[in-house]
Each structure stands twice: as C-alpha cells, then as structure tokens.
Amino acid sequence: MRGRWPASQRGACRAALTALLFLFSAAYADALELKPFKDDLFAYPPTLSSDTNGAYTVIDYREMRDINQRDQVPERRVHAQYTDTGVRKVQQDLLLKTDVGDVRHIAVGKTQGAGIIVLYLHGQGGSRKQGVDDFTFGGNFNRLKNLMAGNGGLYLSPDFSDFGDTGAAQVAALINHYAEQSPAAKIFVACGSMGGALCWKLAARNDTGRRINGLLLLGSLWDESFLASPAFRRHVPVFFGQGSHDVVFPVEKQEAFFRSIIARSKAYPYPTRFVRFETGTHGTPIRMTDWRGTLNWMLSKAP
C-alpha cells in the first residue's frame, strides 16, 4: 500500500519515540519543585498593583497585621503555629577550613547529595545564627529550614570576615566545597541588607559567577557591575524584595536597578522579579518573602 512504511521502519520509529518519551519523563521527574510547608500562613497579603507582565508587584504590607498579630512578642517570637522546630534534628554548627580562613557556618539538611542548596548571607552586625533563628522575622527562617530539609536540600548560614573581597572569597570557598559534595544541586544565594555586597561580588567571580543559579536581594543594595558579570551573562534569576519605607537602601534606587536589568536585556526577557512591600521597612523582606514561591520560580528559570 502506497504511503505505508515497511514494518522494520515502523518498529524503529516506535522505538525512537519510546526512547524520547523516556528521556522526557526522566528529565521532568528530575526537575525539582519544593513541596509546600505552611503555605497558607506565609502567603503574601493582597496585591495592590503590578506591572512588567507581573515581574514587578506591590504588596499590601501592614505592621499591625504582619508583625503584631503574627508575633507572640513583636519582632522577637512568632506564634507557635508558624514554626516546626523538629528541623533542628538535622541542623549542625560546623567549621570549614579554607585557604582564606576558617568559615563557621550552620548547615540544615543534606550535606551530601542535596538537590538544592540555599545560602543566607547576613547584613551588618549579624552572624550565622541570625539565619537559623526559628522565632524572629515571623518564623520565615524556620520555614526556609523546613523547606530545605523536607525537599532533600541543604541550607547554609555562614559567618564571614567582611563584606569585601575576603568575605566573598570565604563564601565562595563554602559554596565550592558543598557544590562538590552535591554536584547536581542548584545553588541560590540570599543576601540581607549589606550582605548584598557579597551577592554582587559572588556574581562577578569566575568560579561562583559560573556556578550559582539565583540571587535574592532582601532589603539590600544595587551594583551596576552586575550587568557585566558572568552571572548576568548566564541569565541567573534575580529576586528583589524591598520595603517602600526602607531608609537604609531607598526603594526607588533598587527599583531603578531592577528596571535597568530588564532594559539591558531587551533581546532576552531577563528572569527578574521585584516585590515591593508597601509601608515596609528595612527588615520587612526577610520577614515577608515567600521562600517557596520564589525558589520554585527560580528553579524553573535557573541556568
């Protein structure tokens, strides 16, 4: 019959399609998406406005609701339903010896074979302990710890010498060490306040700039040099969370930097998001950022 392939060719075609389907299914199965953890409690308040196809969002933050009603002791201890401290069973206070100095850090989750690694770099006056405090910042660090532990991931909160090149080298050594222990892991670095200086330095380095898969700037600063960095060239996703009443790093300047990333990348829709917490202050993004929603978005866009 004309138009009909010989049986041998039909069999080869079916075999090829089966192989392609298997590969597609395996790749889909390997794509990590974080499972929920108390999503209803940590969902964003109502959206006031958005633009740039949803990449820029203004959230209705209110201190009376989002601090005073959420916390048993405002800014010191969140109500118990926001946390699960059982995660402390997989939390370790560790020391990594490197060529640029000892790096004390707290690790939560799988130190080997992790599917995702998240680091939090504190700001001025902070320490590795800030990023694992279960009760401050509305329990948001406890949620992050549980998200990592519950999804085969690793969370790291390190100390470092400074916010300059030495501190960046120490954090880079920490990243490189754990990347070798978990070679398949996607790596995301979150930087609070002045810690953002390290985020930009890591993006600019040849080692970490080619290894990290996402940056989160929380009440932090901007750096035009990012636009020439290895991380920018790889289209590493960038998330900005900023309070509209941040007196340390004005929201207008961070918004302008966010829009400059988009403008510089007209030929390619750069994966960046900005969440403005209306009336929020300097520490609001650390309290309010939706870790699961943000990391799942980054996982879907990560190089």
Side-chain angles (χ1 to χ4, degrees), residues 16-66:
L17 287 173
T18 300
L20 285 172
L21 182 61
F22 175 80
L23 290 172
F24 176 81
S25 300
Y28 183 81
D30 288 343
L32 178 62
E33 181 175 326
L34 302 181
K35 298 177 295 186
F37 179 81
K38 297 183 182 289
D39 283 22
D40 54 336
L41 293 176
F42 288 89
Y44 283 141
T47 296
L48 297 177
S49 65
S50 66
D51 64 35
T52 322
N53 294 321
Y56 176 88
T57 306
V58 181
I59 297 295
D60 178 31
Y61 170 80
R62 300 183 186 183
E63 182 177 329
M64 288 298 294
R65 178 191 62 209
D66 298 315

mmCIF file of all heavy atoms in Angstrom, residues 16-66:
data_model
loop_
_atom_site.group_PDB
_atom_site.id
_atom_site.type_symbol
_atom_site.label_atom_id
_atom_site.label_comp_id
_atom_site.label_asym_id
_atom_site.label_seq_id
_atom_site.Cartn_x
_atom_site.Cartn_y
_atom_site.Cartn_z
ATOM 1 N N ALA A 16 12.244 4.716 18.692
ATOM 2 C CA ALA A 16 12.814 6.053 18.880
ATOM 3 C C ALA A 16 11.874 6.936 19.694
ATOM 4 O O ALA A 16 12.301 7.671 20.590
ATOM 5 C CB ALA A 16 13.093 6.690 17.520
ATOM 6 N N LEU A 17 10.560 6.856 19.392
ATOM 7 C CA LEU A 17 9.586 7.660 20.138
ATOM 8 C C LEU A 17 9.530 7.228 21.595
ATOM 9 O O LEU A 17 9.420 8.061 22.499
ATOM 10 C CB LEU A 17 8.207 7.524 19.491
ATOM 11 C CG LEU A 17 8.015 8.244 18.160
ATOM 12 C CD1 LEU A 17 6.663 7.886 17.537
ATOM 13 C CD2 LEU A 17 8.114 9.763 18.349
ATOM 14 N N THR A 18 9.608 5.932 21.831
ATOM 15 C CA THR A 18 9.612 5.434 23.215
ATOM 16 C C THR A 18 10.825 5.951 23.977
ATOM 17 O O THR A 18 10.729 6.363 25.139
ATOM 18 C CB THR A 18 9.611 3.895 23.219
ATOM 19 O OG1 THR A 18 8.435 3.432 22.551
ATOM 20 C CG2 THR A 18 9.617 3.355 24.640
ATOM 21 N N ALA A 19 11.987 5.949 23.318
ATOM 22 C CA ALA A 19 13.209 6.442 23.966
ATOM 23 C C ALA A 19 13.099 7.918 24.286
ATOM 24 O O ALA A 19 13.490 8.365 25.372
ATOM 25 C CB ALA A 19 14.409 6.185 23.064
ATOM 26 N N LEU A 20 12.544 8.696 23.338
ATOM 27 C CA LEU A 20 12.378 10.131 23.575
ATOM 28 C C LEU A 20 11.422 10.393 24.724
ATOM 29 O O LEU A 20 11.647 11.278 25.565
ATOM 30 C CB LEU A 20 11.876 10.820 22.302
ATOM 31 C CG LEU A 20 12.903 11.016 21.190
ATOM 32 C CD1 LEU A 20 12.223 11.525 19.921
ATOM 33 C CD2 LEU A 20 13.988 11.998 21.634
ATOM 34 N N LEU A 21 10.324 9.622 24.765
ATOM 35 C CA LEU A 21 9.363 9.779 25.846
ATOM 36 C C LEU A 21 9.991 9.442 27.185
ATOM 37 O O LEU A 21 9.777 10.132 28.186
ATOM 38 C CB LEU A 21 8.149 8.873 25.594
ATOM 39 C CG LEU A 21 7.015 8.946 26.632
ATOM 40 C CD1 LEU A 21 6.451 10.364 26.685
ATOM 41 C CD2 LEU A 21 5.930 7.943 26.309
ATOM 42 N N PHE A 22 10.822 8.409 27.207
ATOM 43 C CA PHE A 22 11.503 8.036 28.451
ATOM 44 C C PHE A 22 12.430 9.151 28.923
ATOM 45 O O PHE A 22 12.449 9.517 30.101
ATOM 46 C CB PHE A 22 12.293 6.749 28.246
ATOM 47 C CG PHE A 22 13.118 6.352 29.444
ATOM 48 C CD1 PHE A 22 12.542 5.703 30.523
ATOM 49 C CD2 PHE A 22 14.487 6.648 29.491
ATOM 50 C CE1 PHE A 22 13.295 5.340 31.634
ATOM 51 C CE2 PHE A 22 15.243 6.295 30.596
ATOM 52 C CZ PHE A 22 14.646 5.638 31.668
ATOM 53 N N LEU A 23 13.203 9.708 27.981
ATOM 54 C CA LEU A 23 14.126 10.778 28.337
ATOM 55 C C LEU A 23 13.381 11.998 28.836
ATOM 56 O O LEU A 23 13.777 12.651 29.806
ATOM 57 C CB LEU A 23 15.002 11.151 27.132
ATOM 58 C CG LEU A 23 16.039 10.111 26.722
ATOM 59 C CD1 LEU A 23 16.694 10.515 25.399
ATOM 60 C CD2 LEU A 23 17.092 9.946 27.811
ATOM 61 N N PHE A 24 12.267 12.337 28.169
ATOM 62 C CA PHE A 24 11.473 13.489 28.584
ATOM 63 C C PHE A 24 10.908 13.268 29.984
ATOM 64 O O PHE A 24 10.944 14.151 30.835
ATOM 65 C CB PHE A 24 10.332 13.731 27.592
ATOM 66 C CG PHE A 24 9.409 14.841 27.998
ATOM 67 C CD1 PHE A 24 9.744 16.173 27.766
ATOM 68 C CD2 PHE A 24 8.196 14.564 28.629
ATOM 69 C CE1 PHE A 24 8.897 17.194 28.146
ATOM 70 C CE2 PHE A 24 7.347 15.582 29.020
ATOM 71 C CZ PHE A 24 7.693 16.902 28.774
ATOM 72 N N SER A 25 10.396 12.059 30.230
ATOM 73 C CA SER A 25 9.818 11.753 31.534
ATOM 74 C C SER A 25 10.872 11.807 32.619
ATOM 75 O O SER A 25 10.635 12.311 33.714
ATOM 76 C CB SER A 25 9.165 10.366 31.515
ATOM 77 O OG SER A 25 8.132 10.320 30.557
ATOM 78 N N ALA A 26 12.063 11.302 32.310
ATOM 79 C CA ALA A 26 13.143 11.327 33.305
ATOM 80 C C ALA A 26 13.552 12.749 33.626
ATOM 81 O O ALA A 26 13.771 13.103 34.787
ATOM 82 C CB ALA A 26 14.344 10.532 32.787
ATOM 83 N N ALA A 27 13.646 13.588 32.579
ATOM 84 C CA ALA A 27 14.034 14.979 32.798
ATOM 85 C C ALA A 27 12.972 15.699 33.617
ATOM 86 O O ALA A 27 13.281 16.488 34.515
ATOM 87 C CB ALA A 27 14.228 15.680 31.451
ATOM 88 N N TYR A 28 11.702 15.416 33.317
ATOM 89 C CA TYR A 28 10.619 16.052 34.055
ATOM 90 C C TYR A 28 10.643 15.623 35.517
ATOM 91 O O TYR A 28 10.460 16.416 36.429
ATOM 92 C CB TYR A 28 9.273 15.701 33.425
ATOM 93 C CG TYR A 28 8.098 16.385 34.084
ATOM 94 C CD1 TYR A 28 7.771 17.698 33.763
ATOM 95 C CD2 TYR A 28 7.330 15.709 35.029
ATOM 96 C CE1 TYR A 28 6.700 18.320 34.365
ATOM 97 C CE2 TYR A 28 6.263 16.336 35.634
ATOM 98 C CZ TYR A 28 5.945 17.649 35.305
ATOM 99 O OH TYR A 28 4.894 18.267 35.912
ATOM 100 N N ALA A 29 10.904 14.335 35.738
ATOM 101 C CA ALA A 29 10.933 13.822 37.108
ATOM 102 C C ALA A 29 12.076 14.440 37.892
ATOM 103 O O ALA A 29 11.981 14.629 39.106
ATOM 104 C CB ALA A 29 11.062 12.293 37.085
ATOM 105 N N ASP A 30 13.187 14.724 37.196
ATOM 106 C CA ASP A 30 14.344 15.288 37.871
ATOM 107 C C ASP A 30 14.170 16.766 38.201
ATOM 108 O O ASP A 30 14.921 17.319 39.001
ATOM 109 C CB ASP A 30 15.602 15.117 37.017
ATOM 110 C CG ASP A 30 16.066 13.664 36.983
ATOM 111 O OD1 ASP A 30 15.624 12.896 37.862
ATOM 112 O OD2 ASP A 30 16.833 13.312 36.072
ATOM 113 N N ALA A 31 13.212 17.435 37.571
ATOM 114 C CA ALA A 31 13.001 18.859 37.816
ATOM 115 C C ALA A 31 12.445 19.028 39.225
ATOM 116 O O ALA A 31 11.371 18.522 39.557
ATOM 117 C CB ALA A 31 12.036 19.431 36.780
ATOM 118 N N LEU A 32 13.161 19.753 40.067
ATOM 119 C CA LEU A 32 12.784 19.903 41.461
ATOM 120 C C LEU A 32 11.759 21.012 41.624
ATOM 121 O O LEU A 32 11.908 22.101 41.065
ATOM 122 C CB LEU A 32 14.030 20.210 42.306
ATOM 123 C CG LEU A 32 13.781 20.434 43.798
ATOM 124 C CD1 LEU A 32 13.208 19.182 44.444
ATOM 125 C CD2 LEU A 32 15.090 20.827 44.491
ATOM 126 N N GLU A 33 10.723 20.712 42.366
ATOM 127 C CA GLU A 33 9.757 21.724 42.792
ATOM 128 C C GLU A 33 9.514 21.515 44.274
ATOM 129 O O GLU A 33 9.138 20.418 44.700
ATOM 130 C CB GLU A 33 8.456 21.612 42.001
ATOM 131 C CG GLU A 33 7.434 22.672 42.405
ATOM 132 C CD GLU A 33 6.192 22.648 41.537
ATOM 133 O OE1 GLU A 33 6.315 22.343 40.336
ATOM 134 O OE2 GLU A 33 5.098 22.919 42.078
ATOM 135 N N LEU A 34 9.746 22.536 45.066
ATOM 136 C CA LEU A 34 9.647 22.399 46.512
ATOM 137 C C LEU A 34 8.215 22.130 46.936
ATOM 138 O O LEU A 34 7.279 22.815 46.520
ATOM 139 C CB LEU A 34 10.155 23.671 47.200
ATOM 140 C CG LEU A 34 11.592 24.086 46.885
ATOM 141 C CD1 LEU A 34 11.949 25.349 47.661
ATOM 142 C CD2 LEU A 34 12.576 22.965 47.204
ATOM 143 N N LYS A 35 8.045 21.142 47.807
ATOM 144 C CA LYS A 35 6.734 20.818 48.348
ATOM 145 C C LYS A 35 6.325 21.873 49.371
ATOM 146 O O LYS A 35 7.167 22.517 49.986
ATOM 147 C CB LYS A 35 6.777 19.435 49.009
ATOM 148 C CG LYS A 35 7.106 18.288 48.067
ATOM 149 C CD LYS A 35 7.201 16.967 48.818
ATOM 150 C CE LYS A 35 8.366 16.961 49.796
ATOM 151 N NZ LYS A 35 8.551 15.621 50.437
ATOM 152 N N PRO A 36 5.027 22.050 49.580
ATOM 153 C CA PRO A 36 4.554 23.105 50.495
ATOM 154 C C PRO A 36 4.996 22.880 51.938
ATOM 155 O O PRO A 36 5.219 21.752 52.377
ATOM 156 C CB PRO A 36 3.028 23.015 50.377
ATOM 157 C CG PRO A 36 2.767 22.318 49.084
ATOM 158 C CD PRO A 36 3.910 21.367 48.895
ATOM 159 N N PHE A 37 5.118 23.988 52.644
ATOM 160 C CA PHE A 37 5.291 23.966 54.095
ATOM 161 C C PHE A 37 4.619 25.215 54.664
ATOM 162 O O PHE A 37 5.119 26.326 54.486
ATOM 163 C CB PHE A 37 6.773 23.940 54.497
ATOM 164 C CG PHE A 37 6.966 23.938 56.000
ATOM 165 C CD1 PHE A 37 6.839 22.763 56.722
ATOM 166 C CD2 PHE A 37 7.223 25.114 56.688
ATOM 167 C CE1 PHE A 37 6.977 22.759 58.102
ATOM 168 C CE2 PHE A 37 7.374 25.118 58.066
ATOM 169 C CZ PHE A 37 7.247 23.935 58.776
ATOM 170 N N LYS A 38 3.464 25.022 55.286
ATOM 171 C CA LYS A 38 2.698 26.114 55.903
ATOM 172 C C LYS A 38 2.440 27.259 54.913
ATOM 173 O O LYS A 38 2.509 28.444 55.266
ATOM 174 C CB LYS A 38 3.415 26.633 57.155
ATOM 175 C CG LYS A 38 3.558 25.583 58.257
ATOM 176 C CD LYS A 38 4.203 26.160 59.504
ATOM 177 C CE LYS A 38 4.399 25.105 60.601
ATOM 178 N NZ LYS A 38 3.143 24.676 61.226
ATOM 179 N N ASP A 39 2.141 26.908 53.660
ATOM 180 C CA ASP A 39 1.954 27.925 52.627
ATOM 181 C C ASP A 39 0.836 28.901 52.948
ATOM 182 O O ASP A 39 0.923 30.092 52.626
ATOM 183 C CB ASP A 39 1.665 27.258 51.280
ATOM 184 C CG ASP A 39 2.916 26.689 50.626
ATOM 185 O OD1 ASP A 39 3.895 26.438 51.361
ATOM 186 O OD2 ASP A 39 2.914 26.492 49.408
ATOM 187 N N ASP A 40 -0.227 28.415 53.598
ATOM 188 C CA ASP A 40 -1.345 29.305 53.898
ATOM 189 C C ASP A 40 -0.950 30.399 54.878
ATOM 190 O O ASP A 40 -1.418 31.537 54.784
ATOM 191 C CB ASP A 40 -2.533 28.509 54.444
ATOM 192 C CG ASP A 40 -2.165 27.637 55.647
ATOM 193 O OD1 ASP A 40 -0.977 27.273 55.790
ATOM 194 O OD2 ASP A 40 -3.064 27.317 56.443
ATOM 195 N N LEU A 41 -0.064 30.087 55.817
ATOM 196 C CA LEU A 41 0.371 31.073 56.809
ATOM 197 C C LEU A 41 1.362 32.077 56.235
ATOM 198 O O LEU A 41 1.448 33.211 56.705
ATOM 199 C CB LEU A 41 1.000 30.370 58.010
ATOM 200 C CG LEU A 41 0.060 29.527 58.876
ATOM 201 C CD1 LEU A 41 0.846 28.808 59.964
ATOM 202 C CD2 LEU A 41 -1.034 30.389 59.492
ATOM 203 N N PHE A 42 2.125 31.656 55.225
ATOM 204 C CA PHE A 42 3.178 32.509 54.689
ATOM 205 C C PHE A 42 2.832 33.126 53.331
ATOM 206 O O PHE A 42 3.684 33.739 52.695
ATOM 207 C CB PHE A 42 4.485 31.727 54.582
ATOM 208 C CG PHE A 42 5.123 31.444 55.921
ATOM 209 C CD1 PHE A 42 4.803 30.290 56.628
ATOM 210 C CD2 PHE A 42 6.029 32.326 56.479
ATOM 211 C CE1 PHE A 42 5.368 30.024 57.858
ATOM 212 C CE2 PHE A 42 6.613 32.070 57.712
ATOM 213 C CZ PHE A 42 6.278 30.922 58.408
ATOM 214 N N ALA A 43 1.586 32.974 52.905
ATOM 215 C CA ALA A 43 1.171 33.560 51.628
ATOM 216 C C ALA A 43 1.246 35.082 51.692
ATOM 217 O O ALA A 43 1.044 35.688 52.751
ATOM 218 C CB ALA A 43 -0.251 33.128 51.294
ATOM 219 N N TYR A 44 1.552 35.710 50.549
ATOM 220 C CA TYR A 44 1.601 37.165 50.504
ATOM 221 C C TYR A 44 0.234 37.767 50.812
ATOM 222 O O TYR A 44 -0.806 37.212 50.416
ATOM 223 C CB TYR A 44 2.036 37.645 49.116
ATOM 224 C CG TYR A 44 3.517 37.529 48.842
ATOM 225 C CD1 TYR A 44 3.975 37.142 47.584
ATOM 226 C CD2 TYR A 44 4.465 37.809 49.821
ATOM 227 C CE1 TYR A 44 5.333 37.038 47.312
ATOM 228 C CE2 TYR A 44 5.813 37.702 49.560
ATOM 229 C CZ TYR A 44 6.244 37.323 48.305
ATOM 230 O OH TYR A 44 7.584 37.217 48.042
ATOM 231 N N PRO A 45 0.224 38.911 51.478
ATOM 232 C CA PRO A 45 -1.017 39.682 51.601
ATOM 233 C C PRO A 45 -1.498 40.126 50.219
ATOM 234 O O PRO A 45 -0.808 39.888 49.214
ATOM 235 C CB PRO A 45 -0.601 40.884 52.460
ATOM 236 C CG PRO A 45 0.664 40.464 53.135
ATOM 237 C CD PRO A 45 1.343 39.540 52.180
ATOM 238 N N PRO A 46 -2.650 40.798 50.134
ATOM 239 C CA PRO A 46 -3.185 41.184 48.820
ATOM 240 C C PRO A 46 -2.219 42.038 47.999
ATOM 241 O O PRO A 46 -1.422 42.809 48.541
ATOM 242 C CB PRO A 46 -4.450 41.973 49.181
ATOM 243 C CG PRO A 46 -4.856 41.441 50.515
ATOM 244 C CD PRO A 46 -3.578 41.127 51.227
ATOM 245 N N THR A 47 -2.304 41.866 46.680
ATOM 246 C CA THR A 47 -1.515 42.663 45.743
ATOM 247 C C THR A 47 -2.222 43.982 45.483
ATOM 248 O O THR A 47 -3.422 44.009 45.178
ATOM 249 C CB THR A 47 -1.331 41.907 44.420
ATOM 250 O OG1 THR A 47 -0.571 40.712 44.671
ATOM 251 C CG2 THR A 47 -0.596 42.760 43.393
ATOM 252 N N LEU A 48 -1.484 45.078 45.589
ATOM 253 C CA LEU A 48 -2.048 46.411 45.331
ATOM 254 C C LEU A 48 -1.940 46.765 43.853
ATOM 255 O O LEU A 48 -2.833 47.397 43.298
ATOM 256 C CB LEU A 48 -1.332 47.456 46.185
ATOM 257 C CG LEU A 48 -1.477 47.305 47.707
ATOM 258 C CD1 LEU A 48 -0.646 48.364 48.431
ATOM 259 C CD2 LEU A 48 -2.940 47.401 48.125
ATOM 260 N N SER A 49 -0.836 46.376 43.238
ATOM 261 C CA SER A 49 -0.649 46.658 41.814
ATOM 262 C C SER A 49 0.500 45.815 41.285
ATOM 263 O O SER A 49 1.284 45.252 42.054
ATOM 264 C CB SER A 49 -0.349 48.145 41.575
ATOM 265 O OG SER A 49 0.896 48.502 42.171
ATOM 266 N N SER A 50 0.589 45.741 39.962
ATOM 267 C CA SER A 50 1.713 45.047 39.332
ATOM 268 C C SER A 50 1.897 45.586 37.928
ATOM 269 O O SER A 50 0.984 46.176 37.344
ATOM 270 C CB SER A 50 1.488 43.535 39.297
ATOM 271 O OG SER A 50 0.402 43.213 38.445
ATOM 272 N N ASP A 51 3.108 45.406 37.392
ATOM 273 C CA ASP A 51 3.382 45.779 36.010
ATOM 274 C C ASP A 51 4.497 44.890 35.476
ATOM 275 O O ASP A 51 4.895 43.926 36.117
ATOM 276 C CB ASP A 51 3.696 47.275 35.869
ATOM 277 C CG ASP A 51 4.968 47.705 36.595
ATOM 278 O OD1 ASP A 51 5.936 46.912 36.652
ATOM 279 O OD2 ASP A 51 5.015 48.832 37.098
ATOM 280 N N THR A 52 5.002 45.226 34.311
ATOM 281 C CA THR A 52 6.075 44.461 33.665
ATOM 282 C C THR A 52 5.696 42.986 33.566
ATOM 283 O O THR A 52 6.487 42.093 33.897
ATOM 284 C CB THR A 52 7.417 44.645 34.424
ATOM 285 O OG1 THR A 52 7.551 45.986 34.882
ATOM 286 C CG2 THR A 52 8.607 44.326 33.529
ATOM 287 N N ASN A 53 4.459 42.743 33.133
ATOM 288 C CA ASN A 53 3.954 41.374 32.978
ATOM 289 C C ASN A 53 4.041 40.573 34.274
ATOM 290 O O ASN A 53 4.311 39.373 34.266
ATOM 291 C CB ASN A 53 4.705 40.643 31.860
ATOM 292 C CG ASN A 53 4.443 41.247 30.498
ATOM 293 O OD1 ASN A 53 3.318 41.639 30.203
ATOM 294 N ND2 ASN A 53 5.475 41.329 29.664
ATOM 295 N N GLY A 54 3.820 41.256 35.390
ATOM 296 C CA GLY A 54 3.816 40.588 36.681
ATOM 297 C C GLY A 54 5.166 40.474 37.338
ATOM 298 O O GLY A 54 5.258 39.976 38.469
ATOM 299 N N ALA A 55 6.231 40.930 36.687
ATOM 300 C CA ALA A 55 7.563 40.843 37.286
ATOM 301 C C ALA A 55 7.734 41.830 38.437
ATOM 302 O O ALA A 55 8.567 41.620 39.324
ATOM 303 C CB ALA A 55 8.634 41.099 36.230
ATOM 304 N N TYR A 56 6.960 42.901 38.425
ATOM 305 C CA TYR A 56 7.012 43.908 39.496
ATOM 306 C C TYR A 56 5.665 43.904 40.212
ATOM 307 O O TYR A 56 4.611 44.056 39.587
ATOM 308 C CB TYR A 56 7.285 45.297 38.913
ATOM 309 C CG TYR A 56 7.257 46.417 39.937
ATOM 310 C CD1 TYR A 56 8.398 46.756 40.644
ATOM 311 C CD2 TYR A 56 6.074 47.120 40.188
ATOM 312 C CE1 TYR A 56 8.370 47.777 41.581
ATOM 313 C CE2 TYR A 56 6.042 48.145 41.121
ATOM 314 C CZ TYR A 56 7.191 48.464 41.816
ATOM 315 O OH TYR A 56 7.163 49.474 42.749
ATOM 316 N N THR A 57 5.691 43.742 41.541
ATOM 317 C CA THR A 57 4.462 43.630 42.316
ATOM 318 C C THR A 57 4.553 44.483 43.573
ATOM 319 O O THR A 57 5.588 44.513 44.239
ATOM 320 C CB THR A 57 4.211 42.166 42.730
ATOM 321 O OG1 THR A 57 4.248 41.327 41.566
ATOM 322 C CG2 THR A 57 2.869 42.008 43.417
ATOM 323 N N VAL A 58 3.458 45.154 43.891
ATOM 324 C CA VAL A 58 3.351 45.926 45.133
ATOM 325 C C VAL A 58 2.405 45.173 46.056
ATOM 326 O O VAL A 58 1.249 44.897 45.695
ATOM 327 C CB VAL A 58 2.831 47.351 44.877
ATOM 328 C CG1 VAL A 58 2.753 48.130 46.197
ATOM 329 C CG2 VAL A 58 3.732 48.080 43.887
ATOM 330 N N ILE A 59 2.900 44.842 47.255
ATOM 331 C CA ILE A 59 2.156 44.036 48.228
ATOM 332 C C ILE A 59 1.653 44.920 49.373
ATOM 333 O O ILE A 59 2.357 45.818 49.847
ATOM 334 C CB ILE A 59 3.056 42.913 48.792
ATOM 335 C CG1 ILE A 59 3.478 41.943 47.677
ATOM 336 C CG2 ILE A 59 2.367 42.170 49.921
ATOM 337 C CD1 ILE A 59 2.345 41.173 47.062
ATOM 338 N N ASP A 60 0.454 44.641 49.840
ATOM 339 C CA ASP A 60 -0.174 45.396 50.933
ATOM 340 C C ASP A 60 0.358 44.916 52.281
ATOM 341 O O ASP A 60 -0.247 44.073 52.947
ATOM 342 C CB ASP A 60 -1.696 45.220 50.860
ATOM 343 C CG ASP A 60 -2.415 45.942 52.000
ATOM 344 O OD1 ASP A 60 -1.908 46.980 52.450
ATOM 345 O OD2 ASP A 60 -3.485 45.449 52.430
ATOM 346 N N TYR A 61 1.502 45.440 52.682
ATOM 347 C CA TYR A 61 2.095 45.098 53.974
ATOM 348 C C TYR A 61 1.539 46.028 55.052
ATOM 349 O O TYR A 61 1.433 47.243 54.845
ATOM 350 C CB TYR A 61 3.617 45.227 53.902
ATOM 351 C CG TYR A 61 4.303 45.126 55.244
ATOM 352 C CD1 TYR A 61 4.534 43.879 55.831
ATOM 353 C CD2 TYR A 61 4.700 46.257 55.933
ATOM 354 C CE1 TYR A 61 5.147 43.772 57.060
ATOM 355 C CE2 TYR A 61 5.331 46.169 57.165
ATOM 356 C CZ TYR A 61 5.547 44.929 57.726
ATOM 357 O OH TYR A 61 6.152 44.819 58.947
ATOM 358 N N ARG A 62 1.214 45.467 56.209
ATOM 359 C CA ARG A 62 0.713 46.258 57.330
ATOM 360 C C ARG A 62 1.344 45.769 58.628
ATOM 361 O O ARG A 62 1.220 44.596 58.981
ATOM 362 C CB ARG A 62 -0.815 46.166 57.431
ATOM 363 C CG ARG A 62 -1.543 46.663 56.187
ATOM 364 C CD ARG A 62 -3.043 46.623 56.364
ATOM 365 N NE ARG A 62 -3.722 46.971 55.122
ATOM 366 C CZ ARG A 62 -5.040 47.074 54.990
ATOM 367 N NH1 ARG A 62 -5.813 46.853 56.047
ATOM 368 N NH2 ARG A 62 -5.578 47.385 53.827
ATOM 369 N N GLU A 63 1.993 46.677 59.339
ATOM 370 C CA GLU A 63 2.710 46.308 60.555
ATOM 371 C C GLU A 63 1.788 45.699 61.607
ATOM 372 O O GLU A 63 2.134 44.701 62.256
ATOM 373 C CB GLU A 63 3.424 47.531 61.130
ATOM 374 C CG GLU A 63 4.236 47.219 62.382
ATOM 375 C CD GLU A 63 4.990 48.425 62.898
ATOM 376 O OE1 GLU A 63 5.391 49.277 62.075
ATOM 377 O OE2 GLU A 63 5.178 48.508 64.125
ATOM 378 N N MET A 64 0.618 46.272 61.795
ATOM 379 C CA MET A 64 -0.297 45.759 62.825
ATOM 380 C C MET A 64 -0.696 44.313 62.543
ATOM 381 O O MET A 64 -0.778 43.486 63.451
ATOM 382 C CB MET A 64 -1.542 46.640 62.908
ATOM 383 C CG MET A 64 -1.299 47.996 63.536
ATOM 384 S SD MET A 64 -0.745 47.879 65.259
ATOM 385 C CE MET A 64 -2.193 47.179 66.040
ATOM 386 N N ARG A 65 -0.922 43.992 61.304
ATOM 387 C CA ARG A 65 -1.319 42.631 60.934
ATOM 388 C C ARG A 65 -0.117 41.707 60.814
ATOM 389 O O ARG A 65 -0.126 40.577 61.332
ATOM 390 C CB ARG A 65 -2.065 42.662 59.599
ATOM 391 C CG ARG A 65 -2.490 41.281 59.070
ATOM 392 C CD ARG A 65 -2.968 41.394 57.625
ATOM 393 N NE ARG A 65 -1.898 41.858 56.739
ATOM 394 C CZ ARG A 65 -2.115 42.546 55.626
ATOM 395 N NH1 ARG A 65 -3.340 42.853 55.247
ATOM 396 N NH2 ARG A 65 -1.089 42.934 54.878
ATOM 397 N N ASP A 66 0.934 42.153 60.124
ATOM 398 C CA ASP A 66 2.031 41.274 59.728
ATOM 399 C C ASP A 66 3.136 41.157 60.766
ATOM 400 O O ASP A 66 4.023 40.306 60.628
ATOM 401 C CB ASP A 66 2.598 41.740 58.386
ATOM 402 C CG ASP A 66 1.542 41.663 57.284
ATOM 403 O OD1 ASP A 66 0.847 40.642 57.214
ATOM 404 O OD2 ASP A 66 1.398 42.634 56.526
#
